[in-house]
């Protein structure tokens, strides 16, 4: 017997993978817009996954289940239920010939699902009204709405493709700027609004950076620095300097990266959040590019010492890029040492540990970009040992990333692997040539192909 999912797929004429995927992706984007959950817009299915669903050999994961429910307007329990041959024939008849004796099954869960989407849309409309109603002054609900949205987007940034949240980021930045320019804010609200503007400008700086536009990234970062200063928020000012170090690092300006990281450490000397650990780790990475092994060791040891005294602050509470957890610190530590151009079995083991740190995608500190960087570093560490097969195994998951997640740092990370494959005893191996070609193809596609 077949599942109802297969029956309806056949009935709609979607039993070709390309056709099914087109309708599945459309449903994902519609659902993301209706539920105000940008991450759903990136849900996709591979051909092998589609075939397993079609044959009834696999159960869709949580996000895919929601998309399938929207696509077929049926609850997942019904879609995965088996259909007898006689019932299958009935279900394939045109709706106009259905009779009271042969109804298509309905499930209350379908109505609940639709009502949930309608309620979410109504909630956003109600908030729009409330913000407009507070037109003579900025009320507490307007500020709370902005804070909630900024917190939501900060938590999503490292976990979803940029295209799913970019519109929300630009819209919120514009709203915040307008509120600051309106003259309606009370003196006590200025600090909160400037801090929100600093956070949003920082995220948009990171967005331009991910889109391989360091000039725009620095413009947004400088705006964030001004807003952080106006908010009198020392930790944010230090964090923005870290961001400028990050932008410079990936733009192949290691001297600037080192300068900004050190300046941030001075500004944030009395800050006890994880930003201090991040700045020291940024310094170590920049020193690695410059071949300064002594600074790599000094900065790495300082990052370890700072970790011991770290107390989470309001930036850490935002999550995403604004917190620097241990798993990211381990990734940075390995990268700084890998960049020195030499390694041993101990470094390879540390690189493996760093990759394992990102194995749990449900961890709130997981980030697809950091995982890809850690995997690329593992490939480099293994190449230093002449382990070509191990390097290929490490980097292939990165090369399998969808276009919407191929940001500039990820492409730069795999490019380092490609360059390493042109050196040393592995360079003439057939497997090395094939892997170089795969990386070249990966890097030649446009970075971050944003959804239309």
């Amino acid at each position: 017997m077949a599942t109802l999912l297969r029956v309806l797929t056949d009935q709609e004429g979607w039993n070709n993978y390309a056709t099914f995927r087109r309708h599945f992706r459309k449903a994902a984007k519609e659902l993301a817009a209706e539920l105000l959950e940008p991450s759903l817009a990136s849900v996709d299915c591979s051909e092998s996954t589609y075939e397993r669903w079609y044959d009834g050999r696999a159960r869709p994961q949580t996000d895919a289940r929601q998309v399938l429910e929207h696509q077929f307007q049926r609850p997942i329990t019904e879609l995965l239920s088996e259909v007898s041959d006689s019932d299958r024939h009935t279900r394939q008849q045109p709706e106009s010939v259905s009779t009271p004796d042969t109804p298509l099954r309905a499930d209350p869960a379908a109505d609940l699902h639709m009502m949930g989407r309608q309620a979410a849309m109504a909630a956003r409309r109600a908030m729009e009204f409330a913000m407009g109603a507070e037109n003579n002054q900025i009320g507490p609900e307007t500020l709370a709405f902005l804070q909630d949205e900024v917190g939501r987007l900060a938590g999503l940034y490292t976990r979803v493709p940029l295209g799913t949240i970019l519109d929300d980021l630009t819209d919120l930045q514009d709203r915040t700027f307008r509120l600051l320019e309106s003259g309606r804010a009370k003196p006590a609200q200025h600090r909160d609004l400037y801090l929100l503007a600093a956070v949003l400008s920082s995220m948009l700086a990171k967005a331009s950076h991910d889109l391989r536009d360091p000039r725009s990234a620095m413009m947004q970062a400088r705006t964030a620095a001004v807003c952080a200063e106006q908010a009198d928020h020392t930790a944010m000012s230090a964090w923005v300097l870290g961001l400028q170090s990050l932008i410079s690092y990936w733009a192949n300006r290691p001297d600037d990266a080192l300068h900004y990281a050190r300046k941030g450490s001075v500004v944030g000397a009395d800050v006890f959040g994880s930003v201090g650990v991040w700045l020291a780790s940024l310094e170590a990475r920049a020193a690695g590019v410059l071949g300064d092994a002594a600074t790599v060791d000094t900065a790495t040891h300082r990052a370890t010492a700072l970790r011991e005294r770290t107390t989470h602050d309001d930036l850490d509470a935002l999550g995403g890029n604004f917190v620097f957890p241990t798993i990211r610190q381990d990734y940075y530590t390995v990268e700084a040492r890998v960049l020195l151009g030499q390694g041993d079995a101990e470094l390879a083991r540390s690189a493996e540990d760093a990759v394992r740190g990102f194995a749990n995608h449900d961890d709130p500190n997981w980030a697809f970009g950091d995982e890809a960087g850690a995997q690329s570093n593992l490939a480099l560490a293994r190449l230093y040992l002449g382990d070509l097969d191990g390097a290929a195994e490490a980097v292939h998951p990165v090369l399998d990333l969808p276009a919407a997640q191929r940001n500039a740092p990820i492409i730069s990370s795999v490019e380092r692997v490609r360059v390493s494959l042109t050196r040393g005893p592995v360079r003439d191996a057939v497997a090395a040539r094939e892997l170089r070609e795969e990386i070249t193809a990966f890097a030649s596609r446009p970075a971050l192909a944003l959804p239309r």
Side-chain angles (χ1 to χ4, degrees), residues 152-165:
R152 179 179 70 86
L153 293 171
L156 281 175
Y157 193 107
T158 59
R159 307 182 65 83
V160 302
L162 175 58
T164 64
I165 60 172

Side-chain angles (χ1 to χ4, degrees), residues 331 354-355 358-361 366-376 398 401:
Y331 151 51
V355 170
F358 293 100
N360 180 11
H361 290 195
W366 175 82
F368 70 86
D370 291 337
E371 181 178 35
Q375 289 165 326
S376 299
V398 184
L401 285 173

Side-chain angles (χ1 to χ4, degrees), residues 176-402:
T176 305
F177 286 167
R178 286 177 183 274
L179 289 173
L180 282 165
E181 293 167 342
S182 70
R184 294 190 282 121
K186 300 174 184 177
Q189 294 173 325
H190 278 121
R191 182 183 183 278
D192 290 335
L193 284 171
Y194 272 115
L195 179 58
L196 290 172
V199 171
L200 287 164
S201 298
S202 293
M203 284 194 278
L204 283 165
K206 183 66 165 61
S208 292
H209 161 69
D210 287 343
L211 290 165
R212 199 172 279 181
D213 184 0
R215 181 174 178 273
S216 295
M218 276 298 187
M219 290 173 65
Q220 290 279 9
R222 291 187 178 106
T223 301
V226 170
C227 292
E229 180 68 23
Q230 291 295 317
D232 193 24
H233 199 290
T234 304
M236 189 67 211
S237 294
W239 193 92
V240 173
L241 286 162
L243 175 63
Q244 291 174 302
S245 175
L246 181 78
I247 294 167
S248 300
Y249 171 77
W250 289 111
N252 296 317
R253 299 198 301 266
D255 288 303
D256 289 346
L258 190 65
H259 164 74
Y260 284 120
R262 285 175 169 170
K263 185 176 180 181
S265 293
V266 172
V267 170
D270 296 326
V271 173
F272 294 94
S274 67
V275 63
V277 186
W278 184 43
L279 288 160
S281 298
L282 285 166
E283 181 179 340
R285 287 207 312 186
V289 177
L290 294 169
D292 185 349
T295 298
V296 168
D297 288 341
T298 300
T300 298
H301 290 145
R302 190 169 79 254
T304 301
L306 287 169
R307 176 66 67 185
E308 296 298 321
R309 69 163 205 175
T310 295
T311 301
H312 271 33
D313 58 14
D314 53 347
L315 288 186
D316 292 316
L318 285 173
N321 286 311
F322 296 94
V323 64
F324 193 67
T326 302
I327 57 173
R328 286 184 70 198
Q329 182 180 355
D330 292 343
Y331 151 51
Y332 274 50
T333 298
V334 168
E335 183 151 298
R337 289 175 176 157
V338 162
L339 289 171
L340 291 173
Q342 55 188 350
D344 53 22
E346 181 181 355
L347 179 60
R349 285 193 294 271
S350 296
E352 289 168 359
D353 290 340
V355 170
R356 277 193 290 271
F358 293 100
N360 180 11
H361 290 195
D362 293 326
D363 185 329
N365 292 318
W366 175 82
F368 70 86
D370 291 337
E371 181 178 35
Q375 289 165 326
S376 299
N377 289 337
L378 175 58
L380 287 170
R382 286 175 172 173
L383 284 174
Y384 292 152
L385 297 175
D387 183 3
L388 180 57
D389 290 340
E393 179 188 38
V395 80
H396 271 137
V398 184
L399 303 182
D400 289 337
L401 285 173

Side-chain angles (χ1 to χ4, degrees), residues 102-115:
T102 59
L104 293 176
R105 282 184 295 174
D107 191 312
D111 291 334
L112 289 174
H113 191 60
M114 291 296 292
M115 286 190 290

Side-chain angles (χ1 to χ4, degrees), residues 210-212 396-408 410-412 414-415 437-450:
D210 287 343
L211 290 165
R212 199 172 279 181
H396 271 137
V398 184
L399 303 182
D400 289 337
L401 285 173
Q405 290 183 323
R406 274 199 314 271
N407 62 32
I410 289 176
I411 291 176
S412 296
V414 296
E415 271 289 290
E437 291 172 354
E438 287 184 65
I439 294 173
T440 299
F442 174 88
S444 66
R445 301 165 190 154
L448 274 189
L450 299 179

